[in-house]
Amino acid sequence: MTIINLTMLIFAGSLAAGVIGALTGLGGGVLLVPMLVLLFHINLRYAVGASLISVIATSSGAAAAYLREGYTNLRVGMFLQVSATAGALLGAIVAGHLRAGVIAVIFGLVLMYSAFLSFRRQEEVEPSGLPGPLAARLKMGSSYPVPGGWKSYYPCHSFAGFGIMLVAGTLSGLLGIGSGAVKVLAMDQVMRLPYKVSTTTSNFMIGITAAASAGIYFRDGFIDPGVTMPVMLGVFLGALVGAKLLMRIKTESLRLFFSLVILAMALEMIYSGLSGKL
Amino acid sequence: MKTARIEHILGIVLLSGVLSSAGFVLAGGAMYVARHGTERAHYRIFRGEPSDLRSLQGVLGDAREFSGRGIILLGLMFLVAVQIIRVGLTCLLFAWNRDRVFVMISLLVLVMLLYGILIEGR
């Protein structure tokens, strides 16, 4: 296929991945990499590199809007960023030494987990009223806007959250994804932060985490300008459109449908990885 | 008050950063497609990027010669640089509030980030 045709196709696909990622809360990366690899036959390493860059772009664009709304907790974010950044460096270094097949299998497993999380959307955990000892010492409690005023909250189990972020960062560096699902899980379910605080703080962290891996990706030649250009522009635009649509349409059935799609992609990724097709 | 102001500046930096990066990528992409659009794509096999597209100096040199690929990469590297500013500004915000512990925490993140980009990434 010629470069111009493939560029157009990749742009259209990335636009769709961006819209769906924003609507379902799955994020762009988990849909993007399997699409590029399985549908467009792009090399896995180029796909992962392009995804990592697009993750930085969407995180930066969304963080600008979220900061204004007052949900993002910068203290919690920066505290957890320490282990997430360390993990991202580790993941990116390891990625350069692993065979593409192995990365594909790990990617497939993470996809299955994302599908599972998305399928059974957790019920909102009641935010903790009492801070854990570390959270109290670091004054990580804050308040968030609710109808008719501000409600205060305190994180608990901060050490556990810190540990999970190491895993989230490593997956991000290894697979070029934002690991938003794991990050939100750590903050929402483990540290018992309000859901909106978790998602916006996770988004704030995603760009920084991905940037930590980016230097190593550039060095290892994972970032191909020809592939990354339509992906970055498509996902960024798609995420903007998705965020606007989100306020108007019901996403329940969409989410269920795409958890099945992701499950299918997960099996295909694992099969491709194991059969040495990549 | 100061916190709200720095958060406001942070938002503006992020938005203008990502938009100018996208502008570079779009301009470079248009040049790349205009020149090489009819060639066959070889994205299936991983060959890594040529050495001049792996370092900032190389990319700057290529961009100066108006190479489409060089300009795309310059935009992408700029996007990464904006993330360093993001951490730097957050650090400044804590410093303004005389929050020593969090200044140290964000400096630690900044050092790791710079290590990944400047030392490991060389």
Side-chain angles (χ1 to χ4, degrees), chain A residues 202-228:
Chain A
S202 155
N203 174 75
F204 184 82
M205 297 175 61
I206 283 173
I208 304 172
T209 314
S213 315
I216 298 165
Y217 274 39
F218 275 115
R219 178 197 70 187
D220 289 347
F222 283 21
I223 297 177
D224 184 272
V227 178
T228 312

Side-chain angles (χ1 to χ4, degrees), chain A residues 1-7 10 41-46 53-54 56-61 63-64 67-68 70 72 74-76 78-79 81-83 85-86 89 93 138-140 203-209 211-216 218-230 232-233 236 277, chain B residues 3 7-8 10-12 14-15 18-19 21-23 25-26 28-30 32-33 36-49 53-55 68-70 72-73 75-77 79-80 82-84 86-87 90-91 93-94 99 101-102 105-106 108-109 112-113 115-122:
Chain A
M1 197 182 290
T2 58
I3 286 179
I4 187 154
N5 290 345
L6 192 55
T7 302
I10 295 175
H41 302 293
I42 308 274
N43 184 280
L44 181 74
R45 295 189 195 278
Y46 289 146
I53 293 290
S54 69
I56 303 178
T58 35
S59 158
S60 303
L67 278 169
R68 251 178 278 133
T72 314
L74 289 178
R75 300 170 81 85
V76 171
M78 222 18 107
F79 167 71
Q81 192 67 61
V82 173
S83 58
T85 308
L89 291 174
I93 292 170
L138 293 177
K139 298 192 210 73
M140 288 197 288
N203 174 75
F204 184 82
M205 297 175 61
I206 283 173
I208 304 172
T209 314
S213 315
I216 298 165
F218 275 115
R219 178 197 70 187
D220 289 347
F222 283 21
I223 297 177
D224 184 272
V227 178
T228 312
M229 176 258 296
M232 179 231 183
L233 295 174
F236 182 61
K277 277 204 299 187
Chain B
T3 305
E7 284 185 355
H8 181 68
L10 193 56
I12 292 174
L14 283 172
L15 196 61
V18 71
L19 289 179
S21 158
V25 172
L26 190 63
Y32 171 63
V33 170
H36 302 282
T38 51
E39 293 166 22
R40 274 180 62 83
H42 296 283
Y43 299 149
R44 186 160 198 171
I45 307 144
F46 179 71
R47 286 167 305 170
E49 296 304 306
L53 293 178
R54 290 187 188 208
S55 71
R69 291 165 64 90
I72 295 174
L73 280 172
L76 300 181
M77 286 180 173
L79 183 64
V80 174
V82 169
Q83 310 309 307
I84 302 174
R86 163 158 26 175
V87 179
T90 311
C91 182
L93 189 149
F94 290 130
D99 191 337
V101 179
F102 271 87
I105 289 177
S106 31
L108 185 59
V109 173
M112 283 195 284
L113 199 56
Y115 170 77
I117 293 168
L118 299 176
I119 314 261
E120 274 294 332
R122 262 164 76 101

Side-chain angles (χ1 to χ4, degrees), chain A residues 168-190:
Chain A
T170 309
L171 288 177
S172 171
L174 197 58
L175 308 175
I177 56 175
S179 303
V182 184
K183 286 190 169 99
V184 171
L185 182 85
M187 287 189 263
D188 174 43
Q189 302 285 307
V190 177

Side-chain angles (χ1 to χ4, degrees), chain A residues 113-131:
Chain A
Y113 182 66
S114 299
F116 168 73
L117 276 186
S118 172
F119 205 74
R120 49 137 231 149
R121 176 80 121 207
Q122 315 88 318
E123 60 280 17
E124 179 107 16
V125 179
E126 183 58 27
S128 161
L130 284 172

